[in-house]
Structure formats: structure tokens, C-alpha cells
């Protein structure tokens, strides 16, 4: 049966980027529908009535929501190519743990980074770097979080690096200086087509960020 | 190889109870280590240095944290009596609703329980909307997992226990038979399951514990 895969997405969304990378890793053809989050489509509201958020994967008419769940679904359905999660249950648990940590902690802290000023912002920067330190320790000397192979944690963290570049310019702090191992890792990931074609252009993202700040009334 | 399974938990933590239920469903022998959450043990802090919370499963010395992640680990390690569905779409749905409970339902319901009088009506309405969405997931089934308990039933222990306790402590009605006949029917079946009966603490004990936990909040009301 011909597969029909639709991704309801928003180009700057870190969660959307994750799913794009997963689909690309599996070599899947899909239709991407760009959502206007200020004017959500009837399709989005129908497919994700609980959260009304992107990304949503629609596979042969059936919706799957929440990026971590979508990526695991993709991995389980198209299991014969480029496994995203390890096969060992303990390694899988660790991968899920770190992906969850990234999505919860970094997402929250990233928001604080650009929404705050002065002392509060300095405190957020410090916390952000601490989280990256933990991640750097978890990476260790491995080429990827998944070991020899690019995987679940790598594709979860890479979108944050896209945004991190924006934050670095905006808030004047350098991850390169503080967390060089992670920078090396991110450059390695960017060499993969699945990643480089899924992440937005930095300038475009920075322009969007300036617009976002304006909308929120932040200098 | 001899399996060594330890569970760091706390008697009133429904997240810990989730893990106990799953281990018992799988027939896994384990040692339960009761933690004093006001005075966490060095072992707990070592095995869950990131979040410092219970539950933590220690399997042959390897720690796994976060209850929903532990449930999946248990299902993938001990293959008898599967708790997650086999079909990838059904698995995705089970995961979605479990997360919904932990990340949305509980918080919105807490708002409903704890709101000031003037905001409470709206908060209750919102919480009921979310409960209804979960109830609709049951459809014609005995349990969320079908004919037997599954991952989502275990996750939904929060609905089966926490709501009843909070309703009594906060004197706010939310999950009523009148408004949620199907969900309440599920609660009855769930708490009647022999394994759940073994694991669920007595409601009176939970109510007493919660009253103490929330005493400052309740005093300020």
C-alpha cells in the first residue's frame, strides 16, 4: 500500500526539526505542511485537539502527536533502516531519559535565557551551561550520544544547537569556549544530510527570533 | 544469571506504585527500599543524581529513573505478560495518554483543586474537559489495555487514586460518577484487581498523608 505521510510543522520549532531529522534518517518521503501558529489550521485542530500543537505526523490518515512519541513511532514502523533507538533495553531507557531531560530542561531554560535580563539572565545562562555540562559528560568520548551511530538523543539535542547559536548572539555567551566537546559533536552531526537539511538557516532563525522578541514586547 | 532487582520508592508515591504493579504483573522478585523524601538516602542520590526522585529501579546495579521510562524498560526486559500494545500506533497512543496524564491532566486538576473560589469554576470546567478526553479513550474496553491491565492503566493510577484523595482533602468534586460514569467504572475495576489491591495504599492513609503535606496550603485557604 502506498504510504501517505504528512507532517504538520512550523519551521522554527525544535520539536518539528526533530521529526524532520528522523524522517530523513529513514529516507522517507512526506508532505510538509507549514502551520501558522497564530492561525492554526482546521486540520491541526482536528488532528491534535488535546494540545493543538505541532509537530503532528499523519500516517495514512492517523495522527501521532508529541515529538518524542512521533520519533519512536517512526523508529518502530520503519525498523529496517537506520535504527534511532538502541536495541538494548538499558541503553534505550538511558536514551529516553536524556531525550526527556533535554526536552524539559533545555526548553525551559532556553525560554528563560531570552525572556529575562540582567541577573536573572546570568543565572539562566549558568544553569543552561550546567545542563550542557551534564550532557557533555554523558557524551564522553563517543562520536554520538548513540555510540558509533547517530540516534535518538542526538536528533533531540541538535535542534537546540540551532537555537543556541541565536541565543549566543543575543545574550553574549559562548558555548564553544565552555563546552567544546559538544561543539565538535554538533559539527559532526551537521555533516549528516538528514540534519543539515532539517535545520533552518541561522540567519533566518535569528530574524525570526528578533520578531518573536518584538511580539513578546522584549527589547 | 541471578537477577537483582531493587526499587527505591515511597509508600505514598503513586509513581512508585506504578513500578510495583508492573513488576508484580511480570512476576519479578524485587526488594522495595522505602525512602524518606525529607532525608534521601545516599544511594538514591547516587542512582538518580539528576532528578533526585523516586522511583528508581536498580537492575543488576544499573539504575533507571522516571516512572514511564521504567515501565517501558520492564516491558522490554521481562517479556511475559506484555504491558504495552504490540502495534506501533497503539503504542504511540498509550504513550501519548500516559504523558497527557502526567504533564497536563494532573496539573490542570491541581489548579481546579487549589484555585481561589472566584477562579475555581473555570478551572473545574477545564479539568473536566481533560478528564472527558481521557474517558473517551476507554471506549468500549474493560481497561485502557483492552481485556487486561496495560501500560496506560498503570499510568492512570493517578486517576484511580489521586483524584479520590484530593477530592476529600480539598473538598472539591471533580471525578464524579454522574459526570464520568465510564471512567469511574474503570476506577472500580482497576482498584479491584488483585495486584493493584496489593500495591495501593489505603485511601484513609493517603488522605491523612496528603493533609499533612498540604497543611500550610490548607491553612492559608
Amino acid at each position: 500500500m502506498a504510504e501517505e505521510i504528512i507532517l504538520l510543522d512550523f519551521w522554527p520549532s525544535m520539536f518539528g526539526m526533530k521529526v524532520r531529522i528522523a524522517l530523513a534518517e529513514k529516507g522517507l518521503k512526506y508532505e510538509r505542511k507549514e502551520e501558522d501558529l497564530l492561525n492554526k489550521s482546521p486540520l491541526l485542530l482536528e488532528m491534535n485537539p488535546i494540545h493543538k500543537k505541532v509537530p503532528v505526523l499523519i500516517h495514512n490518515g492517523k495522527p501521532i502527536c508529541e515529538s518524542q512519541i512521533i520519533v519512536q513511532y517512526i523508529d518502530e514502523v520503519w525498523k529496517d533502516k537506520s535504527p534511532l533507538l538502541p536495541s538494548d533495553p538499558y541503553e534505550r531507557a538511558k536514551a529516553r531519559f536524556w531525550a526527556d531531560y533535554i526536552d524539559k530542561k533545555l526548553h525551559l531554560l532556553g525560554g528563560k535565557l531570552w525572556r529575562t535580563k540582567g541577573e536573572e539572565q546570568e543565572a539562566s545562562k549558568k544553569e543552561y551551561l550546567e545542563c550542557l555540562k551534564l550532557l557533555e559528560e554523558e557524551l564522553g568520548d563517543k562520536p554520538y550520544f548513540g555510540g558509533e551511530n547517530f540516534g535518538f538523543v542526538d536528533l533531540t539535542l541538535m535542534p537546540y544547537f540551532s537555537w543556541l547559536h541565536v541565543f549566543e548572539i543575543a545574550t553574549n555567551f559562548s558555548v564553544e569556549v565552555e563546552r567544546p566537546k559538544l561543539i565538535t559533536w554538533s559539527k559532526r552531526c551537521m555533516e549528516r544530510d538528514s540534519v543539515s537539511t532539517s535545520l533552518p538557516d541561522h540567519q533566518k532563525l535569528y530574524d525570526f527570533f528578533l520578531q518573536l522578541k518584538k511580539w513578546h514586547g522584549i527589547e | 544469571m541471578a537477577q537483582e532487582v531493587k526499587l527505591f520508592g515511597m509508600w505514598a508515591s503513586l509513581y512508585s506504585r506504578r513500578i510495583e504493579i508492573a513488576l508484580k504483573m511480570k512476576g519479578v522478585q524485587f526488594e522495595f527500599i522505602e525512602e524518606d523524601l525529607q532525608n534521601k538516602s545516599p544511594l538514591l542520590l547516587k542512582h538518580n543524581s539528576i532528578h533526585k526522585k523516586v522511583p528508581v529501579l536498580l537492575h543488576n546495579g544499573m539504575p533507571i529513573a522516571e516512572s514511564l521510562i521504567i515501565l517501558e524498560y520492564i516491558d522490554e526486559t521481562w517479556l511475559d505478560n506484555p504491558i504495552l500494545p504490540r502495534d506501533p500506533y497503539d503504542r504511540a497512543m498509550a504513550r501519548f495518554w500516559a504523558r497527557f496524564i502526567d504533564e497536563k491532566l494532573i496539573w490542570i486538576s491541581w489548579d481546579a483543586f487549589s484555585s481561589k473560589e472566584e477562579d475555581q469554576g473555570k478551572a473545574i470546567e477545564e479539568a473536566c474537559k481533560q478528564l472527558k478526553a481521557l474517558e473517551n479513550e476507554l471506549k468500549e474496553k474493560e481497561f485502557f489495555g483492552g481485556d487486561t491491565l496495560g501500560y496506560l492503566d498503570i499510568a492512570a493510577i493517578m486517576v484511580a487514586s489521586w483524584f479520590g484523595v484530593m477530592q476529600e482533602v480539598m473538598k472539591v468534586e471533580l471525578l464524579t460518577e454522574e459526570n464520568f460514569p465510564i471512567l469511574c467504572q474503570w476506577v472500580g475495576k482497576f482498584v479491584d484487581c488483585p495486584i493493584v489491591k496489593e500495591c495501593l495504599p489505603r485511601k484513609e492513609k493517603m488522605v491523612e498523608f496528603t493533609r499533612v503535606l498540604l497543611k500550610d496550603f490548607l491553612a492559608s485557604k
Side-chain angles (χ1 to χ4, degrees), chain A residues 48 50-52 62-66 68-69 72-73 76-77 87-94 96-98 100-101 103-105 134, chain B residues 48 50-51 61-66 69 72-73 76-77 86-89 91-93 95-97 99-100 103-104 129-130 133-134:
Chain A
N48 191 358
I50 299 284
H51 302 299
K52 306 177 175 49
K62 297 202 288 193
I64 303 104
C65 309
E66 301 288 279
Q68 272 187 49
I69 294 173
Q72 288 185 83
Y73 174 80
E76 288 171 10
V77 173
S87 50
D88 172 71
Y90 184 67
E91 295 302 318
R92 289 162 78 84
K94 276 203 325 194
R96 287 175 175 134
F97 176 87
W98 285 108
D100 201 45
Y101 174 82
D103 271 349
K104 294 204 167 101
K105 265 298 190 142
L134 281 174
Chain B
N48 191 1
I50 306 278
H51 301 300
M62 299 186 306
I64 305 104
E66 300 290 279
I69 293 176
E72 295 225 29
Y73 174 80
E76 290 169 3
T77 304
R86 295 203 57 178
D87 174 73
Y89 188 74
R91 290 161 78 84
M93 290 300 104
R95 287 171 177 144
F96 175 86
W97 287 105
R99 276 183 151 233
F100 164 80
E103 293 174 11
K104 193 160 186 174
K129 222 171 102 182
Q130 307 302 329
L134 184 64

Side-chain angles (χ1 to χ4, degrees), chain B residues 128 131-132 135 159 163-164 167 172-189 191 203:
Chain B
C128 285
L131 272 168
K132 193 47 85 173
E135 187 181 59
V159 176
F163 275 80
Q167 284 173 182
V172 173
E173 291 273 280
L174 207 54
L175 179 61
T176 62
E177 265 193 57
E178 189 188 340
N179 293 333
F180 301 98
I182 297 171
L183 199 52
C184 288
Q185 200 176 58
W186 169 84
V187 171
K189 286 188 205 145
V191 303
K203 188 180 175 187

Side-chain angles (χ1 to χ4, degrees), chain A residues 11-79:
Chain A
W11 70 267
S13 159
M14 285 175 248
F15 306 106
M17 287 177 212
K18 239 200 263 184
V19 178
R20 284 173 232 159
I21 298 173
L23 288 165
E25 282 285 317
K26 299 284 186 180
L28 293 167
K29 293 213 163 19
Y30 64 99
E31 183 192 347
R32 206 176 142 273
K33 288 189 193 226
E34 182 70 20
E35 281 287 329
D36 173 1
L37 296 187
L38 298 175
N39 187 20
K40 293 173 182 177
S41 71
L43 182 63
L44 174 60
L45 300 176
E46 182 198 336
M47 293 287 139
N48 191 358
I50 299 284
H51 302 299
K52 306 177 175 49
K53 288 183 181 174
V54 291
V56 178
L57 190 79
I58 309 173
H59 182 209
N60 296 333
K62 297 202 288 193
I64 303 104
C65 309
E66 301 288 279
S67 62
Q68 272 187 49
I69 294 173
I70 297 172
V71 173
Q72 288 185 83
Y73 174 80
I74 290 169
D75 203 34
E76 288 171 10
V77 173
W78 293 280
K79 54 183 185 284

Side-chain angles (χ1 to χ4, degrees), chain A residues 1-6 58-62:
Chain A
M1 182 180 88
E3 302 270 27
E4 189 200 52
I5 305 170
I6 299 173
I58 309 173
H59 182 209
N60 296 333
K62 297 202 288 193

